[in-house]
Every structure is written in structure tokens, then in C-alpha cells.
Amino acid sequence: MSPVELGIPATRAGRPSIDGRPDTPYLADRFGRIARDLRVSITEKCSLRCTYCMPEEGLPPIPKGELLSVDEIVRLVALAVHELGVHEVRFTGGEPLMRRDLEQIIGGCHNAVPETPLAMTTNGVGLEHRARGLAAAGLSRINVSLDTLDRDGFAKLTRRDRLDSALAGIRAARAAGLTPVKVNAVLMRTTLAGAPDLLNWCLNEGCELRFIEEMPLDADREWVRRNMVSAAELLDILGGRFTLTRSGRPDPASPAELWLVDGGPATVGVIATVTRNFCSTCDRTRLTAEGRVRSCLFSDQEYDLRQLLRSGAGDAEIAAVWRGAMWNKWAGHRINADDFVPPQRTMGAIGG
């Protein structure tokens, strides 16, 4: 299996250029942004096959020896927090629940950086059996991907009939104290009519709903700009049932623009990645499941930290490469440009 077939771009060798970089320990880039939010993908495997994320057959398996180990993940998370100024860590996949040692990853990171919030994005399938153990290990809160409450629609979109398990996972997360539980829903033409029902369900369940514009990160390469559901269209649909009052962003780096629902205090968020992009305030840095730094969802420029770890490099050398990778971050994704080219990796191979 070649890197291109797996959706993995060629890794940059050596150290990235740091020409003009200020003398700061933080993950600064050329546009004045500082990355403080770390996303760590820990597997390419998933229990669902969402059409906007995964091919129907799943991603080609990454050999176990090429995945970051528990100790390697803990070391990189500790380095990011202690040396690079990271304030929050989120574990993603694929589906992080597919790793049997997830509790050890969470526990190790919690012990290494006890004051740092540890979050996770999951599809919720099987979460009901592990939510309490993850909370006990040190997980702070959780995001669950849920695009529709219609069972047939869920099965068609995810290619799996697992809606009941996903809903049970959300309720188990709340019961375990992994709050606030946020629900992420990708805006799709086929599920748009059910968006008000999904919002009503989240309000009744005490969850915070975030709708996300679909991005060109699908494995089947079927995304077309003119076919996507925009934030404006969603708000029109929701406005037919709820009174929405714009509240703005609580944090300038937050991707979600919040709207009060029927006067509040409940809110609904809209992440308009395509039509109202927030690239200018993006504060994320990413590690792939193979241990490569990725500065942007849409950039195929990656630097291999796993190789440094396994060759005996010290923290200072690893931190220098990480800083350099982020220094060269793009200004933005350019989805709306005529010459836009989607990245080689799909969402499932990058991590949310």
C-alpha cells in the first residue's frame, strides 16, 4: 500500500525553515497566530463509514508498529503542554474508541499534564460501556458526532445501523460527568429537514449542538461547493421553529458562532468552515496517528515526530521541528479558490 493510496502525503525530511521566526517557545506562525489546541489522532480505524469521512471499505490499516504507542503519545502531549504552550488536548481518530488502550492513553496524559483539559471526539458507538472508565482515567469532556435522529437516514449516511448505540453513548457520557457533552452534526442535504428535530432533542438531553458545514475531505471525492448546505440555509430552517439570537464567539479562536435558542440560555453553534471561515484565528496543531505534525486540515505538509522519537532525539530537538512546522502554516484553506485542490488525506486519516 503506497502513501498516496492510503491518503498519506510524503513526509518532509529534515527541519522546516524558521527564517524570520521570533524567539518564542510557543507555536507561532508567520501570520501572528499561536497554536494552543492540540488534536491527536490515535487510529485510522472506525466503527462507522460516514460518507463525508471514510470510504465504504474503511481506510487501509496502519501496521500497529507504525502507530504512536501510549508512551509516545504521552511524551508528545507533555512536551506540547510544558514546552510549546498548548492549553487543551483532544483525542480523535478514526474512532478513538477502537483503541483498546484508550484508557491508558488518557490516564498517562492526565498524570503527565493534570491541569490540562483532555477531550475526545467520538461517534459514540460503544461509549456506554467505557464512559465511566474514561472519566476515571482523566477525560474531561466529550464531543459526539451525530448527524440525524432518523434511523434509516443514519444507517444510510454511516453505512451502519448503530443509531441506538450512539444515543446510548451520549447519555452515558452525561451520566459519567463528561460535560458539557457537545454534539457535532455535519450539514448534509439529506439530513437538513431533520435539523430542527436534532436541535430539539439536544435541548431536551442537555447537550450542546454544533452544526458543521461539510468540507472537501470525503474519501469518495464527491464534495461539490454548489451542493453543500451553507450556514445561512441552516439558520433559515432552524428559524422556522426556534427564535435564534446571535451571540457571537465566546473565544475569538473558537470555530463555532453561537446563537441563543428562544432567548437562551441554551445555544446552538454553527461552524461555517467554508462560507464564514475562521482561518485567521485558527489555534490548532495536529498529530496524525503515525506521529506526524500537520499544521492545517488542508495542508499536505507534514513532519515526522515519530521518527525523531524512535531515533533517540531529545525534547528540544522534537520541539524545534514542531515549532518550525507551525511557523510555516498556511494563511488559510482557500476552499473557495478556483485552483483549490483537496488534501490527499481524508478526514478519517487526519482526525477531527
Side-chain angles (χ1 to χ4, degrees), residues 306-322:
R306 186 194 68 199
Q307 187 275 331
L308 290 173
L309 286 168
R310 297 181 182 180
S311 66
D315 284 358
E317 183 178 356
I318 296 170
V321 172
W322 201 332

Side-chain angles (χ1 to χ4, degrees), residues 203 242-245 247 259-268:
L203 294 173
F242 305 94
T243 299
L244 302 180
T245 306
S247 178
W259 298 76
L260 296 174
V261 180
D262 293 338
T267 63
V268 60

Side-chain angles (χ1 to χ4, degrees), residues 27 38 76 80 84 285 287 293 305 318-326:
L27 294 173
L38 171 60
L76 290 175
L84 303 176
T285 183
L287 286 176
V293 174
L305 300 190
I318 296 170
V321 172
W322 201 332
R323 293 185 185 109
M326 295 307 296

Side-chain angles (χ1 to χ4, degrees), residues 11-21 27-30 285 292-295 299 301-305 307-308 316-329:
T11 308
R12 297 296 181 103
R15 292 195 177 195
S17 170
I18 56 172
D19 291 347
R21 187 183 184 280
L27 294 173
D29 66 34
R30 299 174 187 273
T285 183
R292 298 172 180 177
V293 174
R294 192 177 181 96
S295 62
S299 171
Q301 185 180 70
E302 298 181 352
Y303 290 89
D304 193 346
L305 300 190
Q307 187 275 331
L308 290 173
E317 183 178 356
I318 296 170
V321 172
W322 201 332
R323 293 185 185 109
M326 295 307 296
W327 176 242
N328 290 282
K329 183 175 181 173

Side-chain angles (χ1 to χ4, degrees), residues 27-105:
L27 294 173
D29 66 34
R30 299 174 187 273
F31 302 95
R33 298 166 298 194
I34 297 178
R36 302 188 186 279
D37 183 340
L38 171 60
R39 304 296 170 102
V40 184
S41 174
I42 59 175
T43 182
E44 85 296 348
K45 294 179 175 60
C46 190
S47 49
L48 301 180
R49 297 289 185 272
C50 298
T51 57
Y52 53 78
C53 180
M54 285 269 187
E56 185 170 4
E57 67 277 11
L59 292 170
I62 299 173
K64 184 176 180 180
E66 294 181 14
L67 291 171
L68 290 176
S69 69
V70 173
D71 289 344
E72 288 169 338
I73 293 171
V74 171
R75 182 179 171 188
L76 290 175
V77 166
L79 186 154
V81 172
H82 296 313
E83 303 296 334
L84 303 176
V86 163
H87 289 176
E88 181 175 354
V89 179
R90 175 176 296 280
F91 298 98
T92 69
E95 171 50 55
L97 290 171
M98 297 296 285
R99 279 195 65 155
R100 296 181 179 179
D101 55 3
L102 176 59
E103 287 81 359
Q104 286 69 48
I105 292 171

